[in-house]
Amino acid sequence: MNLLLKNGAIVTGDKEFSGDILIKNGGIQKIGGTISDRTAEVCDLGGRIVIPAFIDIHIHGADGADTMDNSLESLKKISAFAARHGVANFLPTTLTGPQDVLMEVLEKIADLQDTDLPGANIFGVHMEGPYFDMEYKGAQNAKYIKVSTVNEIKKFLRVKKNLVKLFSLSPNNEEALESIRFLREKGVVVSVGHSACVYEKVKKGIEAGIRHATHTFNGMRGFNHREPGVVGAILEDPAVKAEIIFDKIHVHPAMVHLLIKIKGVENVICITDSMSAAGLSDGDYKLGELDVYVKDGVVRLATYDSLAGSILTMDSAFRNLLELGWSMADAIRMTSTNAAEEFGLNSGEIAPGKDADLTVLDNHNEVVMTVVKGRIKYKGI
Ligand SMILES: [Zn+2]
């Protein structure tokens, strides 16, 4: 099935130009100027902005569904919701849980990996936990937090080759360093998260292979001029990509600004970390086994005071970046291109040969259409 998008205002990399996009077999074949193709379905964009579709590498749930529901229906619901918010590729993200439950969830995701879904494509899994530190557990379930073993990790990786793309853990002991080395050897991106480690320990983790940071500033030892902590190690090392939840709740906009300035636009990756209440109203919800509540758009644990994920969407993070004064080219990098490069996706750019993963915006930068591998998965125009 071929698709011809007419009259787009295309923004990609540092280029902006107007014209048509011809899509064949899920890939971009031609862009710019006037293109005609009798075999293609035609959609006139009427001068609307077209950008590389967003990629969300840290999303637990949305629209009443959670990755930990261990259900194909839930994953499909999250996929459809993500596409409505401009996402073409995502990593369903697990929470700290018992090994057998995590194995079952991984198997469900494996069934849907790179298959045709109602919305965004699932290109793998982000495993958030269970090897964390109690002191910074946030909304991770304390009952299942434990010390890592390469043996257990082997079981997770054996579910399906190349399923686990990203693994968040704390480099808190020798076992963790061994796990990091093993994961890296297997091509998994290892991320420091929910960690009480002092600066020196994180540096050892980076030496062992950590290249990513899980929701920077949240759930980690903070920055102090005598003990730089996890945050200090992340800020200092250019090899580490930094996730950020930019919902104006988890991190002050001034700190987001500072992070981008220090790390550089190419090393910051916006995520949602959204949970099942994303897209729904205030009220009581579950995050895994834990009770949480949403009030005025803020998600908190019911039992003690901690933020418990977000109800952020990628398009809203994108608009927040623009509002903070970053250019559209920079915002595209941080919501799409950087993640594509880190995980080797043929996405994140609008160019011939790339996957046709596209998001169309109206003049308020609201999503009006999402194309996933050449197929329109959401259309509001
Ligand atoms: Zn998370």
Side-chain angles (χ1 to χ4, degrees):
M1 199 179 45
N2 303 337
L3 180 63
L4 179 59
L5 302 177
K6 299 289 289 178
N7 305 312
I10 302 160
V11 186
T12 180
D14 50 13
K15 296 190 285 265
E16 286 182 32
F17 52 95
S18 52
D20 305 344
I21 304 174
L22 179 64
I23 296 163
K24 283 195 172 174
N25 303 320
I28 297 169
Q29 197 178 64
K30 251 194 208 171
I31 49 167
T34 304
I35 303 170
S36 51
D37 186 304
R38 282 166 195 277
T39 63
E41 179 195 337
V42 177
C43 178
D44 197 326
L45 301 180
R48 291 181 181 86
I49 296 166
V50 191
I51 60 172
F54 305 130
I55 300 169
D56 192 354
I57 56 169
H58 189 154
I59 170 170
H60 297 281
D63 201 14
D66 190 300
T67 302
M68 295 302 280
D69 289 346
N70 191 14
S71 128
L72 296 177
E73 275 322 299
S74 288
L75 291 167
K76 286 177 187 171
K77 240 178 154 181
I78 300 167
S79 156
F81 180 87
R84 292 204 290 278
H85 293 275
V87 175
N89 290 284
F90 73 109
L91 293 178
T93 304
T94 58
L95 286 165
T96 293
Q99 189 196 325
D100 55 333
V101 173
L102 285 169
M103 294 289 285
E104 282 173 31
V105 171
L106 292 183
E107 277 158 24
K108 289 278 186 315
I109 300 169
D111 283 348
L112 297 184
Q113 186 184 23
D114 293 321
T115 63
D116 188 25
L117 293 176
N121 176 56
I122 292 176
F123 70 97
V125 181
H126 175 176
M127 291 195 74
E128 192 181 14
Y131 318 127
F132 290 140
D133 294 326
M134 288 295 180
E135 197 186 333
Y136 286 91
K137 66 180 185 301
Q140 298 284 335
N141 195 334
K143 208 158 86 185
Y144 305 114
I145 288 179
K146 58 171 153 179
V147 173
S148 72
T149 66
V150 169
N151 256 343
E152 187 173 65
I153 291 173
K154 270 185 188 161
K155 285 182 191 140
F156 293 141
L157 299 197
R158 248 185 242 130
V159 171
K160 190 183 171 195
K161 209 174 170 220
N162 292 325
L163 175 69
V164 181
K165 300 284 186 193
L166 180 58
F167 207 115
S168 295
L169 52 72
S170 173
N172 49 10
N173 53 34
E174 223 16 81
E175 286 86 346
L177 295 180
E178 226 177 277
S179 300
I180 294 164
R181 283 189 282 267
F182 175 76
L183 283 161
R184 180 138 172 90
E185 205 182 281
K186 296 291 173 196
V188 179
V189 177
V190 190
S191 187
V192 54
H194 294 279
S195 175
C197 287
V198 294
Y199 170 80
E200 295 297 341
K201 271 197 168 178
V202 184
K203 290 302 279 183
K204 279 202 178 129
I206 295 171
E207 253 169 57
I210 286 175
R211 292 292 179 271
H212 194 100
T214 309
H215 42 55
T216 307
F217 300 116
N218 299 113
M220 58 177 65
R221 183 182 291 277
F223 188 57
N224 178 282
H225 55 296
R226 269 186 281 275
E227 203 311 278
V230 182
V231 170
I234 295 166
L235 293 181
E236 190 200 21
D237 203 313
V240 179
K241 308 264 181 212
E243 286 182 1
I244 191 85
I245 310 170
F246 190 12
D247 60 355
K248 302 184 184 174
I249 295 160
H250 281 74
V251 183
H252 192 285
M255 292 301 276
V256 176
H257 209 53
L258 200 59
L259 176 76
I260 301 169
K261 275 192 184 169
I262 293 173
K263 296 294 294 177
V265 165
E266 66 284 0
N267 287 318
V268 174
I269 296 181
C270 285
I271 55 156
T272 63
D273 197 20
S274 73
M275 40 77 72
S276 61
L280 305 177
S281 48
D282 283 6
D284 296 327
Y285 294 91
K286 283 269 185 191
L287 181 66
E289 291 177 18
L290 304 177
D291 292 317
V292 302
Y293 67 94
V294 183
K295 196 174 168 234
D296 303 325
V298 184
V299 194
R300 289 184 185 280
L301 284 180
T303 43
Y304 66 92
D305 189 28
S306 169
L307 290 173
S310 83
I311 54 165
L312 178 65
T313 54
M314 285 300 287
D315 55 325
S316 170
F318 180 82
R319 288 188 295 272
N320 287 344
L321 285 170
L322 298 180
E323 200 184 295
L324 198 60
W326 294 93
S327 69
M328 194 163 278
D330 290 338
I332 291 169
R333 267 223 149 263
M334 292 184 273
T335 52
S336 178
T337 319
N338 290 345
E341 286 175 359
E342 188 177 21
F343 294 95
L345 299 180
N346 190 31
S347 190
E349 205 188 323
I350 305 176
K354 291 281 174 184
D355 286 349
D357 295 335
L358 308 166
T359 296
V360 181
L361 305 171
D362 68 10
N363 51 10
H364 303 289
N365 295 314
E366 300 276 350
V367 176
V368 289
M369 191 165 119
T370 307
V371 178
V372 180
K373 294 191 197 306
R375 303 174 80 139
I376 298 173
K377 294 291 180 175
Y378 168 69
K379 195 173 171 190
I381 41 173

